[in-house]
Amino acid sequence: MTEPAVRPNETTVPLMPCASVEETLAFYESLGFEAVYRQSRPYVYLMLRWSGFQLDFGPAPKGLDPAREESGGCLVMVDAVAPYHAAFAAAMRRVHGKVLSSGLPRITRYRPGASRFTLVDPSGNSITFIQRDEPVELEYGGSKRLTGLAKTLDNARILREFKNDDLQAFRALKSGVRRHGADAPAAERAIALCHLVDLATVLGEPTEPWAAELRGLDLTADDRRRVESELGHLAGLQEWLP
């Protein structure tokens, strides 16, 4: 009798902690997920499906603090991330009247041309959508081809888009503007200040003095076009610019 052989036809199913069945279901169903299986007793188990993938949730460990956002995570590889972000953002606007960009739950901001974004759910799990052709290697800390404030901006982009760390991006930009802002082109400085205003809003920090400094910049028409080209995805951009 021949023993069964191991064949390369496996499927992995990430099991993430669920701190609250009600909050988890409310969040994902508001985005359009279908609960194909739900169980609260004798233990928590949820199976949620959207498009061609599913997310599974089990009991949360004792003492789990969702606010620390260290609960669990899942990578979803897709051909193009922009349609997914657009679909989830539109669902949030329908249900909440706005895109949830801070606190729990939320969706990270999406910059046109970016190759990933993250959903953070009420339990602190991170569901990261990644474009399949994303570069394998990234220069964490800022591209070696760049210098000054341009390098700081690249570093902040990596921190926000790839490490999902708005706080470190905020700190890096504050330091970069302080050290290199005076020598940077006006458009570059404006881009950095816009990011600081946006990050301060997301983090619940005061937007001054970044907003005041931004209003005081003397931008040419070309400067404005460059800022708008790079940051047109930020909802409050026109209100911030001088």
Side-chain angles (χ1 to χ4, degrees), residues 93-107:
R93 290 191 186 97
R94 284 195 300 270
V95 175
H96 304 283
K98 64 178 181 179
V99 176
L100 304 177
S101 59
S102 61
L104 291 180
R106 71 177 186 278
I107 188 172

Side-chain angles (χ1 to χ4, degrees), residues 91-142:
M92 287 181 175
R93 290 191 186 97
R94 284 195 300 270
V95 175
H96 304 283
K98 64 178 181 179
V99 176
L100 304 177
S101 59
S102 61
L104 291 180
R106 71 177 186 278
I107 188 172
T108 59
R109 300 295 178 98
Y110 177 74
R111 175 184 58 82
S115 57
R116 62 171 62 190
F117 72 90
T118 300
L119 281 174
V120 186
D121 73 11
S123 296
N125 297 302
S126 293
I127 317 302
T128 302
F129 292 77
I130 302 177
Q131 198 155 301
R132 286 193 174 92
D133 63 358
E134 180 181 272
V136 175
E137 295 184 3
L138 296 169
E139 294 181 280
Y140 289 101

